[in-house]
Amino acid sequence: MKPATPAVTHETAEIDLDRLRTDLEALAKIGGNLEHGGVDRPSFSDADMDARRWLMGRMAEGGLMPHMDAAGNVIGRWGAGDGPAVMIGSHLDSVPRGGVLDGTLGVIAGLECVRTMMSFGFTPTCPIEVVATSEEEGRFGGMLGSQALTGQVDADWLYAAKDDTGIALVDCMRAQGLSPEDTLRLGRPTDSIRAFLELHIEQGPVLDRKQIPVGIVEGISGVFHWSVTLKGQANHAGTTPMEMRNDAFLALADFAHTIPDIIDKAGGGHSRLTIGKVTMEPGFAHTVPGLVEFSLVGKDLDNAVMERLRVACRSGVETAGNAHGVASSIEEISWLRSQPCHPDIIAAFHRAAGQLGIETMVMPSGAGHDTQVMAAHTRAGMIFVPSVGGISHAPQERTDWNDIALGANVLLHTAMNLTSAPCRG
Ligand SMILES: [Zn+2]
């Protein structure tokens, strides 16, 4: 006689990895890039909208009530009443030639969590909403869907935004039957969302290198973006003695060399400084470079550290310029403050991982995510699973299926724990 299978309970519930994988593989075909692999689902493209309609179908089959809002967000709701919901999700749009997990994993894992809860009769004490946000990746600027849900869309920006081929965001939305006007009215009352949970691939090498399956994100790094100009004097490379030059490139090189020192003195373990783009004039092999423009992007989790990096970089650029008789000027293109994840949600992820015996580490997110927008509105938090080789935003983006299962189970148990307690707004 076969022993009876013990009934699944809150404590023993696990997501169905085959069902999750089947959905991820089906989604990978929508906008799938046949030549390079991966997906092309830029926001509000036909493929992006097809993926959203496909998701609504899967939600309806799973017993959720799906709808698409004016900004293209797909929301599937489950559970009684119109009380505040625990929201689980991420985005469905991709960068051009992107990977199949970025964003998508968090959406499908959210759906899988709800299906698992339904399958063994779990009754949440408040509604759960699975959300697929729109235009997260930044074809037009990024985070539009989550900003709409939290009432943070700037009308001037919305009506002016264009992609890098000059297509206006509003035209693109209207062509897909969405409404820029109504997008400005989508903001949910703060008391209608109880928490926001996001599972995402790490998009960096840390978890993979350390062989840890789940990262609990403590916060999303702030970022400053500068354009720095160094103005020296272009001159003949043969007739101008070395000590009589105003070489703008050497000033840049000096500054670049001081970056480790700046991080040592003003920064910390989470600090990042990157010179990602350089242009030189006249850019001729036989001429001393007279003009250099470069980008400087600084990141840290701590806003006070960001301020210190700002001061140290400013003085570093000036010192390097002065050493070569080169005038320096700095234009600050943007400054985004860091956003901590909510301590309640961080604790809830720790608790769930502890119950499941899954090893975790606490880490910052160096990339931007919907969680940072949602965090301004509700208790928001996110977890990472490893990116094999640290690769993302590329067709080679991959996560071991076992790690996906572990991350999704931490998400499941976190959501169940949060919706087992009495609803308290
Ligand atoms: Zn993403």
Side-chain angles (χ1 to χ4, degrees), residues 90-91 93 101-104 136-137 198 200-201 203 367-370 382 393:
S90 191
H91 60 97
D93 58 315
L101 293 174
D102 183 350
T104 310
E136 190 271 354
E137 286 288 7
E198 183 173 15
H200 203 281
I201 53 168
Q203 303 183 276
H369 294 290
D370 287 317
M382 70 189 303
H393 280 193

Side-chain angles (χ1 to χ4, degrees), residues 218-239:
E218 55 189 317
I220 288 98
S221 292
V223 52
F224 66 84
H225 179 185
W226 287 1
S227 172
V228 183
T229 305
L230 298 170
K231 210 167 169 213
Q233 177 62 55
N235 215 331
H236 196 290
T239 60

Side-chain angles (χ1 to χ4, degrees), residues 201-209 363 384-392:
I201 53 168
E202 181 199 338
Q203 303 183 276
V206 178
L207 293 172
D208 189 40
R209 292 262 175 91
M363 62 193 300
F384 285 156
V385 286
S387 294
V388 175
I391 296 167
S392 76

